Amino acid sequence: MAFVLGAHFSPMPCKVANNTHDHADDAAYIRRAVDLSEKSAGFTSPHPNFGCVIATSTGKVAGEGYLYAQGTKPAELLAVEASGERCRGATAYLNLEPGDCHGDHTAVSALVQAGITRAVVGIRHPLQHLRGKAVCALRSQGLQVDVLGEDLQSKVMEEARKSCLIVNAPLIHRACSRVPFSVLKYAMTLDGKIAASSGHAAWISSKMSRNRVFELRGRSDAIIVGGNTVRKDDPRLTARHGGGHMPMRIVFSQTMNLPEEANLWDVSEVSTIVVTQRGARRNFQKYLASKGVEVVEFDILNSRDVMEYFHDRGYLSILWECGGTLAASAISSGVIHKVFAFVAPKIIGGKNAPTPVGELGMVEMSQALDLIDVCYEQIGPDMLISGFLQPVPDLMPVIPSEDETFAIDPTVTPYESSIISFYKTWDPYGAFSNFSPHPIQMPDSDGNYVTWSSVEHYYQAQKFAGVNDPAPQDCVEKIKAMRSPEEAARVGRSMQRQHPDLVRSEWESMKIDVMYRALKCKFSIYPHLNSMLLSTAGSVLVEASPHDLFWGGGREGEGLNYLGRLLMQLRSEFLGESSTSTENTCSAL
């Protein structure tokens, strides 16, 4: 269903105060929060885009902040810290409802304790287990909370709310369609060709347009190309934006008819995954595996199944830079959500010159797919035309909870699973992730306690701790300084891949113990995390990463699930312990 801007949500069981505030001012501050939320794009793995602006009663901006990445301070807390005492009696503007998913409600608590009296929320959280909770929590603390489209309805508010939807379109699409948000990008001549009849394609668009493509790559979890692109163009598919997030490279190849030498097989800087049909060129699969390239087989290779698989791997946004045949398949499968078309003022002609989209089976112009929210932008000599192939999904209707369903129809018995899965930090049990934003203090080789921003920071650094060489010592310091767990993991894994000789010799035999000690500290010093872990008693805990066969459960349950095992071990120990203080437990590690 298309998202109807200004549509009214089902009433929440919370008191909503009337407001007489100026809609134009509110809309302007919400738009500012939207702009802030995009600031981290390209510097760390994509995440929900949160921005917060705090304005005083006189209309002055007191402070603002944005979420840099999962595992870092919430935008609301950063804005409060920047505002100081000016928060008293002020209004907080949020493009998205706070998404506290770690049991500590940091964002909500920051606003309440700072003395904020009103909050304006652009849209409710698109994830079902978080939707409406922060709004209710703020109202229960006496704050006036106005949600655009519900409590504030006007033309200017509809436009502001639309900007909130677009900035988090990847998260909304992913939540509703169970596939990552996918963007199809191509460059073509004025007569609709992506290459000459000979196949030569460099360069259709200008350097300025290519720089924009690098930006698009930096905002994506992965880039997809087909086997033909690998054979003809031998691309690198790098972001080339001076550091930060490097997207995964994915190659679609049904037959595995791929060259032995290709830039994409160099995984020293960023990984490559080849998706193929089961049984295709097994010897070549082994060859790629020997070079560090991951190969994933599907019974039948199609765009929908592949996207569902990468949804399960936690991917949020994917950029398709493929040829016309694969593009047509992806569009037909309904997995392409947005299109970026760079049109160069060139004409090349050619009856057999390839076009950006292959056969879709349409025979009448009335069948053509119309783009929604189309934008036109001149980039140097080129024109960039962008728009959505699918409307931003409707977050309504709200699916009733199990208890609500049972109340409506007693014949429907709530199903209680004995398996609790967790993976990404936005999951209901996201706090179990080693990427969750919970600093820990761990002793160094001299017995002095050092603070690490997350369990993942500590774990990655321990790969190189104590190695008598300047390079690994510098790497430890670099990992410690990383602002997010994703970046800490990227630094540690990259160093391990490029310089395996610098990893401590006993790492493989000690890494489980390293993770265990870090987890024990985390769940000992945070009472709410300890309670969350104990609440799962009787359930099997599974780290649901489909590609990590050591710490995760694997795609088909073939993984060793050591992270889940360690958490169950800790749970058993905590349940069996006497009333030992959490401080003593942690300091004894």
Side-chain angles (χ1 to χ4, degrees), residues 264-577:
L264 294 183
W265 309 158
D266 179 2
V267 296
S268 58
E269 292 293 332
V270 60
S271 299
T272 298
I273 300 173
V274 176
V275 294
T276 188
Q277 199 141 302
R278 195 172 302 281
R281 292 189 69 189
R282 282 288 168 80
N283 287 337
F284 189 69
Q285 288 190 36
K286 293 178 181 178
Y287 168 75
L288 288 181
S290 71
K291 298 178 75 67
V293 176
E294 181 182 354
V295 179
V296 180
E297 293 183 301
F298 292 81
D299 292 332
I300 298 177
L301 188 64
N302 64 73
S303 301
R304 169 64 61 172
D305 288 348
V306 172
M307 287 300 96
E308 289 178 354
Y309 168 71
F310 283 107
H311 169 275
D312 292 341
R313 284 183 76 144
Y315 286 22
L316 179 66
S317 185
I318 291 182
L319 182 65
W320 295 64
E321 296 195 42
C322 54
T325 301
L326 183 53
S329 171
I331 291 174
S332 297
S333 297
V335 299
I336 299 297
H337 302 98
K338 193 171 186 179
V339 174
F340 278 81
F342 294 85
V343 183
K346 301 175 181 178
I347 294 176
I348 195 167
K351 179 180 178 181
N352 298 319
T355 59
V357 180
E359 180 60 52
L360 291 174
M362 299 178 182
V363 295
E364 295 181 2
M365 192 55 66
S366 59
Q367 295 175 290
L369 302 173
D370 293 321
L371 294 185
I372 304 167
D373 290 324
V374 180
C375 294
Y376 303 90
E377 179 183 355
Q378 185 166 351
I379 303 178
D382 307 325
M383 180 64 70
L384 170 58
I385 303 173
S386 62
F388 289 88
L389 263 182
Q390 302 180 33
V392 179
D394 194 344
L395 298 182
M396 296 298 289
V398 175
I399 301 173
S401 67
E402 291 176 344
D403 291 339
E404 290 171 327
T405 302
F406 183 72
I408 296 169
D409 183 359
T411 63
V412 180
T413 304
Y415 173 69
E416 295 183 2
S417 173
S418 61
I419 297 177
I420 293 178
S421 297
F422 64 96
Y423 181 26
K424 290 297 183 180
T425 56
W426 54 64
D427 292 336
Y429 287 88
F432 291 172
S433 168
N434 40 305
F435 282 66
S436 74
H438 297 98
I440 60 173
Q441 287 190 326
M442 299 296 290
D444 60 16
S445 57
D446 298 323
N448 299 316
Y449 278 82
V450 178
T451 299
W452 298 88
S453 298
S454 71
V455 168
E456 185 65 15
H457 280 79
Y458 176 75
Y459 174 80
Q460 291 295 337
Q462 293 311 297
K463 294 178 179 179
F464 314 99
V467 179
N468 189 23
D469 187 288
Q473 292 172 6
D474 290 345
C475 185
V476 169
E477 292 304 313
K478 188 175 181 180
I479 290 171
K480 192 174 188 298
M482 289 296 100
R483 291 177 62 184
S484 72
E486 290 93 343
E487 289 164 311
R490 190 181 309 130
V491 171
R493 292 167 182 167
S494 178
M495 175 65 85
Q496 186 177 17
R497 281 196 305 266
Q498 296 176 35
H499 303 285
D501 55 307
L502 296 181
V503 178
R504 55 201 299 182
S505 58
E506 71 277 24
W507 176 245
E508 287 302 316
S509 63
M510 66 180 296
K511 65 182 182 181
I512 293 177
D513 183 61
V514 168
M515 181 67 78
Y516 168 78
R517 288 186 288 112
L519 290 173
K520 186 165 186 178
C521 183
K522 169 183 166 180
F523 284 92
S524 295
I525 61 177
Y526 293 98
H528 66 281
L529 297 186
N530 189 282
S531 298
M532 183 183 290
L533 181 61
L534 297 185
S535 71
T536 66
S539 297
V540 177
L541 302 181
V542 176
E543 204 274 357
S545 169
H547 66 286
D548 189 334
L549 301 185
F550 186 83
W551 295 110
R555 183 184 177 195
E556 298 174 348
E558 74 275 29
L560 298 175
N561 187 36
Y562 266 106
L563 189 57
R565 294 186 191 190
L566 291 181
L567 290 174
M568 288 185 284
Q569 178 183 337
L570 279 174
R571 183 181 65 192
S572 178
E573 292 177 9
F574 288 142
L575 287 171
E577 282 179 353

Side-chain angles (χ1 to χ4, degrees), residues 102-164:
H102 306 293
D104 51 3
H105 310 298
T106 302
V108 169
S109 298
L111 297 176
V112 172
Q113 294 173 10
I116 298 292
T117 56
R118 178 177 179 244
V120 179
V121 177
I123 58 173
R124 292 182 185 269
H125 206 291
L127 300 185
Q128 182 64 38
H129 65 282
L130 298 174
R131 190 179 310 157
K133 289 188 176 180
V135 169
C136 244
L138 288 169
R139 286 173 175 163
S140 70
Q141 294 295 318
L143 276 74
Q144 176 182 333
V145 181
D146 296 321
V147 182
L148 271 60
E150 302 177 38
D151 313 297
L152 302 176
Q153 299 186 36
S154 65
K155 183 175 178 59
V156 69
M157 283 301 172
E158 287 180 5
E159 291 302 315
R161 184 165 181 263
K162 183 177 179 180
S163 68
C164 295

